[in-house]
Amino acid sequence: MEFQKSSIPEVIICTPKVYEDDRGFLSESYRKDKLDNFISHPVNFCQDITTYSKKNVFRGLHFQKPPFSQSKLVKVLKGKVIDFAVDLRVNSETFLQHVSIELSDKNHKQLFIPRGFAHGFLSLEDSIFSYKVDNFYSIDHDMGISVFDSKLNIDLKNYKDIIVSDKDNSLPNILDINNHFKYSEDLYEK
């Protein structure tokens, strides 16, 4: 497993070694000791989630507020997506900046997204998406921001016919959340 810092250093691109032959392939997709060592602290994943998304579906941008905020390790089992991680840490130099990366069953890449980030993905073809989280889902702490918020500078104009759920389509923009919470440390983590 190889690790590389993205443009936001806390968001890590994880690339496993893949051993292929005429039968298929073998890959070590997760190894706790190596990830913990690279990010310099332990992450204790406790829940795995799998989604199926048809082509053009956008899921997100989701996060959970403390004390149920989550780190995630995400990957595509089948298909191809553009994955997004948006920095919501108010005191961060990269506040509201984002990382985007193509994840697919062909490139085997994964993305580690630490606590304090919103996450979402656009399915470029029918896709099965998997993620590990280090805190359980809590409906009372579930939040999100609109991927279409101009403050986030996420350019989706090259993608046609994006399908968004009613829930995700009604997510607020970042100013609405910030005005409501007044950049509360209860909402964002350092």
Side-chain angles (χ1 to χ4, degrees), residues 8 24 26 33 36 45 62-63 67 102 104 109 112 134 137 150 153:
I8 301 175
L26 173 124
D33 60 337
D36 289 355
F45 294 116
H62 302 143
F63 63 97
E102 183 178 295
S104 75
K109 291 184 183 211
F112 173 77
D134 69 345
Y137 173 75
S150 62
N153 294 315

Side-chain angles (χ1 to χ4, degrees), residues 168-182:
D168 287 353
N169 203 37
S170 65
L171 290 174
N173 66 39
I174 193 71
L175 289 179
D176 291 338
I177 289 177
N178 288 336
N179 289 338
H180 180 71
F181 287 97
K182 296 181 177 57

Side-chain angles (χ1 to χ4, degrees), residues 37-71:
N37 185 53
F38 188 82
I39 61 175
S40 302
H41 64 84
V43 177
N44 296 310
F45 294 116
C46 61
Q47 186 176 16
D48 282 0
I49 300 162
T50 304
T51 66
Y52 166 77
S53 299
K54 294 182 178 180
K55 181 179 179 179
N56 298 326
V57 166
F58 191 96
R59 294 186 186 265
L61 297 162
H62 302 143
F63 63 97
Q64 290 191 169
K65 62 183 179 176
F68 284 89
S69 56
Q70 298 172 318
S71 295

Side-chain angles (χ1 to χ4, degrees), residues 121-189:
F121 65 90
L122 174 62
S123 187
L124 302 178
E125 54 190 54
D126 290 4
S127 298
I128 299 173
F129 190 85
S130 175
Y131 50 106
K132 295 180 174 304
V133 295
D134 69 345
N135 215 339
F136 295 109
Y137 173 75
S138 170
I139 194 166
D140 294 332
H141 297 82
D142 184 36
M143 297 193 74
I145 53 175
S146 174
V147 67
F148 303 110
D149 184 347
S150 62
K151 295 272 187 224
L152 303 179
N153 294 315
I154 295 176
D155 185 4
L156 296 174
K157 65 179 170 257
N158 291 330
Y159 303 102
K160 307 290 184 220
D161 305 318
I162 294 175
I163 302 164
V164 181
S165 72
D166 290 342
K167 175 189 170 190
D168 287 353
N169 203 37
S170 65
L171 290 174
N173 66 39
I174 193 71
L175 289 179
D176 291 338
I177 289 177
N178 288 336
N179 289 338
H180 180 71
F181 287 97
K182 296 181 177 57
Y183 290 101
S184 167
E185 291 300 323
D186 293 334
L187 177 61
Y188 304 109
E189 294 187 73

